[in-house]
Amino acid sequence: MIVMKFGGTSVGTVEALQQVARIVAQSRHLQPVVVVSAMSGVTDTLRAIAADASQGNRADVQCRIEDLRARHTSTVSALLSTQEREGMVETVTYLIDELENVCHGITLLQELSPRTIDLVSSFGERLSAPLVSAVLREQGVPSTPYDARLSIKTDDRYTEAEVDFAETNSRLVEGLRPAVDAGTIPVITGFIGSTQHDVTTTLGRGASDYTAAIVGSALKADEIWIWTDVDGAMTADPRIVSEARVLAKISYQEAAEMSYFGAKVLHPKTMLPAVKDRIPIRIKNTFNPSTTGTLISEETVSSPLGVKTVTNIDHVCLVTIEGSGLIGMPDTPARVFKTTAQHQVNLIMFTQASSEHDICLVILDKESDTVVKALLSEFRHELERGSLEAITVQPDIAVVAVVGEGMKGTPGIAARTFGALGAHRINIIAIAQGSSELNISFVVDRKELKETVRLVHSAFELDKSVTSDK
Ligand code: ASP
Ligand code: MG
């Protein structure tokens, strides 16, 4: 049995949906269980609608809801013939009417809690799963939609809910096994779950990949296939490096290092259930299905020079807390991290040199105001006394990381990386390497990001190295 997850672009247009139906039909012998995202852009739109509703913008909300209705209805009309069409139009009408009611409530209350954001966000997948299932039936493939809220049970940390695996696994087996055994292909809503009191939750943005891994682990799938719109994990972002190549095989650990670094291939949590049950994950391109893609498993093929891929994160800034008073103040790091944690800030990278003179945090641009305000308040006494000199933000930076299992214990990786940059007078602003040695991350000026990625890619000969199968 195989779990196949199709992302937003794969279910985003009539042509893409036809392609999905072809792919699933051709894989019937593998007993696929399908997980889908919302049609591309729909989750963003739903969130914008919710925000608009809380501002009381009724006309705008109504207009956007009608756009969603039209997009789904026209897709239904283009893909389904009479009988399936009637049923699916009814489903779209029912769901969009429900969405309308929820939004009306938000408009009246002018209040938007994370719990309500999750309810509104859930409509995208609740629309796409029955749609994909109907498209499969239309092609003669027996299929039934499945609402993951019936099985994926979570806590109530809305927008980033944590899964209760014991409960979820047994419910998934109970809910899906009969259909699979009967040769029917379930099409499951990605991204969503529910609390023990059946309140709708979501597992985090982009988390349909995670849903696929949760389902795969519960059903003991042979493989989890993530169908997306790129050929696989690559040696670098192909928009930056034209010679970037697809990596045929990477390890779970390498994949984890890459997804944390914004490689955008997989939701970071996807690896956890897969690793636990040693289920290989395959990344495949819906729009180029004949290419093999990337296989993520326990095995890896190391590249001759140790580094396998160069990843980068943009739209970040560097917050520096500095002052000679930091030296020998053991509680400072704890206070810094407590402050960022309280504001649920995602720390992308942080460093402190052994002089203890400053602590640098790399965070998303959009979180910088919040973080600086919070740190200024936390350390106001130290700033008044002068034991802290300043808390500053450096915008317009980017993080670049070199990743590879082969880096572990291999001397010279940092030398080759920084040597290549030094030779081209690229300045390194901050550096971090964990003791797992799988990843060296560093900060450069955003203006030099592209050149940095290209230089490092070529320094490790990633355009020609044999990181593919032997
Ligand atoms: N539709 C959700 C999102 O846009 C989940 C996903 O696409 O994986 O975040
Ligand atoms: Mg995604």
Side-chain angles (χ1 to χ4, degrees):
M1 198 221 91
I2 302 279
V3 176
M4 291 194 169
K5 179 258 173 178
F6 293 93
T9 44
S10 301
V11 298
T13 63
V14 169
E15 296 71 32
L17 282 159
Q18 284 166 332
Q19 175 73 347
V20 166
R22 269 194 294 275
I23 290 171
V24 175
Q26 281 164 9
S27 315
R28 270 182 79 181
H29 60 287
L30 299 171
Q31 281 195 305
V33 167
V34 173
V35 174
V36 290
S37 290
M39 292 178 86
S40 49
V42 168
T43 312
D44 286 338
T45 305
L46 288 166
R47 295 212 164 198
I49 290 174
D52 257 4
S54 70
Q55 303 290 315
N57 299 336
R58 268 180 106 144
D60 205 30
V61 167
Q62 201 49 42
C63 178
R64 286 180 191 241
I65 291 180
E66 286 317 313
D67 284 350
L68 276 184
R69 191 193 299 273
R71 178 167 175 203
H72 285 88
T73 316
S74 71
T75 311
V76 168
S77 312
L79 284 166
L80 304 177
S81 56
T82 327
Q83 206 193 345
E84 286 294 350
R85 189 191 309 158
E86 276 173 15
M88 196 52 217
V89 167
E90 232 171 73
T91 305
V92 172
T93 308
Y94 175 83
L95 285 169
I96 299 275
D97 288 351
E98 188 187 329
L99 171 67
E100 226 175 335
N101 284 333
V102 173
C103 291
H104 184 58
I106 301 173
T107 321
L108 292 177
L109 296 170
Q110 303 216 358
E111 188 181 76
L112 185 59
S113 64
R115 170 175 163 154
T116 308
I117 292 179
D118 272 358
L119 176 60
V120 174
S121 309
S122 72
F123 283 90
E125 276 73 7
R126 287 161 64 194
L127 284 157
S128 66
L131 172 61
V132 171
S133 186
V135 175
L136 288 176
R137 288 195 301 275
E138 181 79 29
Q139 305 298 318
V141 179
S143 172
T144 176
Y146 189 82
D147 189 327
R149 293 177 300 173
L150 296 169
S151 288
I152 298 189
K153 299 312 267 184
T154 69
D155 64 11
D156 59 1
R157 268 178 268 181
Y158 297 103
T159 76
E160 286 284 346
E162 292 291 337
V163 174
D164 171 352
F165 279 96
E167 180 70 21
T168 297
N169 288 349
S170 61
R171 283 180 181 241
L172 280 171
V173 171
E174 217 170 283
L176 296 170
R177 262 283 156 220
V180 176
D181 290 343
T184 303
I185 298 181
V187 180
I188 306 161
T189 52
F191 180 50
I192 63 177
S194 67
T195 66
Q196 56 168 330
H197 302 297
D198 298 328
V199 181
T200 301
T201 54
T202 67
L203 310 180
R205 291 306 308 272
S208 296
D209 298 339
Y210 185 36
T211 303
I214 295 167
V215 171
S217 153
L219 298 184
K220 306 273 176 274
D222 297 309
E223 288 192 4
I224 298 160
W225 293 14
I226 305 288
W227 290 91
T228 179
D229 53 6
V230 294
D231 282 341
M234 302 194 70
T235 52
D237 183 338
R239 287 167 304 184
I240 298 180
V241 183
S242 56
E243 302 86 24
R245 295 173 315 102
V246 173
L247 293 158
K249 264 188 183 179
I250 56 176
S251 67
Y252 291 123
Q253 264 192 311
E254 286 170 334
E257 294 290 352
M258 289 176 72
S259 46
Y260 286 124
F261 267 88
K264 292 265 161 66
V265 184
L266 268 189
H267 187 274
K269 282 186 184 167
T270 312
M271 232 68 67
L272 301 172
V275 171
K276 184 174 88 17
D277 292 318
R278 301 178 178 186
I279 305 174
I281 303 175
R282 221 177 261 281
I283 315 283
K284 300 273 289 173
N285 189 347
T286 303
F287 306 99
N288 189 12
S290 57
T291 53
T292 37
T294 299
L295 179 66
I296 307 169
S297 67
E298 287 180 304
E299 282 175 40
T300 186
V301 183
S302 32
S303 47
L305 298 173
V307 167
K308 241 164 127 173
T309 176
V310 189
T311 64
N312 62 278
I313 313 186
D314 213 346
H315 305 296
V316 288
C317 63
L318 187 74
V319 177
T320 304
I321 301 122
E322 68 184 307
S324 35
L326 278 178
I327 301 165
M329 259 172 61
D331 66 338
T332 307
R335 286 168 66 195
V336 170
F337 296 135
K338 189 189 79 199
T339 308
T340 54
Q342 268 167 354
H343 291 82
Q344 307 221 332
V345 169
N346 179 23
L347 280 183
I348 293 164
M349 173 177 155
F350 51 85
T351 65
Q352 185 205 276
S354 60
S355 70
E356 301 177 41
H357 187 261
D358 58 28
I359 297 176
C360 304
L361 314 174
V362 177
I363 56 169
L364 292 175
D365 272 339
K366 60 175 190 221
E367 293 180 330
S368 87
D369 285 350
T370 315
V371 171
V372 172
K373 229 163 97 193
L375 287 172
L376 285 173
S377 149
E378 170 69 29
F379 289 103
R380 60 191 179 282
H381 299 306
E382 287 79 359
L383 285 161
E384 271 164 26
R385 280 202 307 268
S387 57
L388 264 193
E389 276 146 36
I391 296 176
T392 51
V393 185
Q394 183 168 356
D396 302 321
I397 55 137
V399 175
V400 176
V402 292
V403 176
E405 293 250 17
M407 291 165 59
K408 202 173 169 64
T410 308
I413 304 279
R416 188 182 288 270
T417 308
F418 300 131
L421 300 179
H424 288 79
R425 305 209 53 76
I426 289 182
N427 182 41
I428 315 285
I429 300 168
I431 305 174
Q433 181 201 274
S435 57
S436 76
E437 296 186 52
L438 245 63
N439 181 320
I440 301 176
S441 306
F442 50 94
V443 173
V444 293
D445 192 308
R446 185 175 294 159
K447 285 199 288 298
E448 294 176 331
L449 169 65
K450 288 186 178 166
E451 196 188 353
T452 302
V453 175
R454 286 182 196 130
L455 284 169
V456 176
H457 194 266
S458 101
F460 287 96
E461 300 180 4
L462 295 179
D463 45 340
K464 53 178 181 242
S465 71
V466 271
T467 47
S468 56
D469 300 280
K470 285 176 206 123

